[in-house]
Amino acid sequence: MFDLGWLRVDPPGATIVEGTQVAVVIRHFGFWSVNWSQIVYIVDEDRRFGFAYGTLMDHAESGEERFTVTLRPDGSVWYEIRAL
């Protein structure tokens, strides 16, 4: 979800476990910026998986984002992003 050409996460393939720190690297207005975040919790349920990361000091924003994927009983798949 972060491999968009103008946006990426380093290190690529970072392990999704609590405490993992990642750099969200963004190209905008002709330059690159780096914003550090840390995975703060994991969602690992029967039919739902995801994680949330929180911003670290010197991040351009302040808050938390959660990304989850849910397999519903009717077979549909839902992807949810929640930002605080």
Side-chain angles (χ1 to χ4, degrees):
M1 69 191 158
F2 287 104
D3 188 10
L4 300 173
W6 58 272
L7 173 75
R8 71 175 192 267
V9 171
D10 281 324
T15 306
I16 300 176
V17 296
E18 268 185 50
T20 297
Q21 291 186 2
V22 295
V24 179
V25 182
I26 306 162
R27 180 179 46 143
H28 48 112
F29 306 115
F31 66 93
W32 291 87
S33 66
V34 177
N35 293 287
W36 287 93
S37 299
Q38 180 172 320
I39 297 177
V40 292
Y41 65 88
I42 306 297
V43 177
D44 191 4
E45 301 169 357
D46 221 17
R47 306 182 122 222
R48 188 169 169 239
F49 180 79
F51 65 94
Y53 71 71
T55 59
L56 295 174
M57 189 183 299
D58 295 329
H59 193 289
E61 300 175 327
S62 177
E64 180 180 300
E65 286 185 302
R66 182 181 70 199
F67 305 90
T68 55
V69 177
T70 305
L71 177 60
R72 305 200 27 148
D74 67 0
S76 63
V77 176
W78 286 76
Y79 178 69
E80 178 183 30
I81 301 172
R82 183 173 185 173
L84 308 169

